[in-house]
Amino acid sequence: VQLVESGGGSVQAGDSLKLSCTASGRTFSTYAMGWFRQAPGQERELVASITWSDGDTYIAGSVRGRFTISRDIAKKTMYLQMNSLKPEDTAVYQCADRSSQYSGFADWGPGTQVFVSS
């Protein structure tokens, strides 16, 4: 499975961005997908995740109420709608998937940069 993110960019505080993560490969079967971010000098953080079959979601407290995760099964694409962006949201955002509830996130995209200026 190959994952590719898109939609990053440079915006001002208060703006919105929508990230996409598209999976490709002859066989794609995933249990859940997630968005992670890592800012310079900081540890990678799970921002949001979604269970592929039923759409059950998790949103980290730091972005709850501002970010929304969704997926389009037919397009094998996951989205992260980011509203009311803050400078502290600046990071490289990566998507990842896990093949089962018993496994960790194993396949990763290369990442897309989000920069939020004040």
Side-chain angles (χ1 to χ4, degrees):
V1 174
Q2 289 186 320
L3 304 175
V4 178
E5 305 93 341
S6 62
S10 295
V11 297
Q12 293 187 328
D15 286 349
S16 298
L17 279 175
K18 187 173 185 177
L19 305 183
S20 300
C21 171
T22 300
S24 62
R26 200 155 49 88
T27 59
F28 174 66
S29 176
T30 186
Y31 169 74
M33 295 185 71
W35 285 102
F36 291 78
R37 69 183 182 184
Q38 187 167 23
Q42 297 188 20
E43 293 187 355
R44 185 164 57 195
E45 169 192 21
L46 174 63
V47 174
S49 65
I50 187 165
T51 305
W52 207 248
S53 60
D54 61 11
D56 190 31
T57 63
Y58 162 81
I59 304 291
S62 57
V63 302
R64 193 169 298 141
R66 300 188 296 122
F67 290 12
T68 304
I69 188 171
S70 61
R71 90 276 193 243
D72 185 322
I73 295 175
K75 294 182 178 180
K76 297 188 288 186
T77 299
M78 174 181 65
Y79 304 97
L80 185 68
Q81 178 66 48
M82 306 185 294
N83 299 328
S84 302
L85 283 162
K86 304 176 180 180
E88 51 263 44
D89 294 319
T90 294
V92 174
Y93 285 72
Q94 285 181 283
C95 64
D97 86 301
R98 50 189 298 199
S99 58
S100 80
Q101 60 182 317
Y102 306 110
S103 65
F105 289 94
D107 298 307
W108 295 83
T112 185
Q113 176 73 54
V114 172
F115 181 81
V116 185
S117 60
S118 57

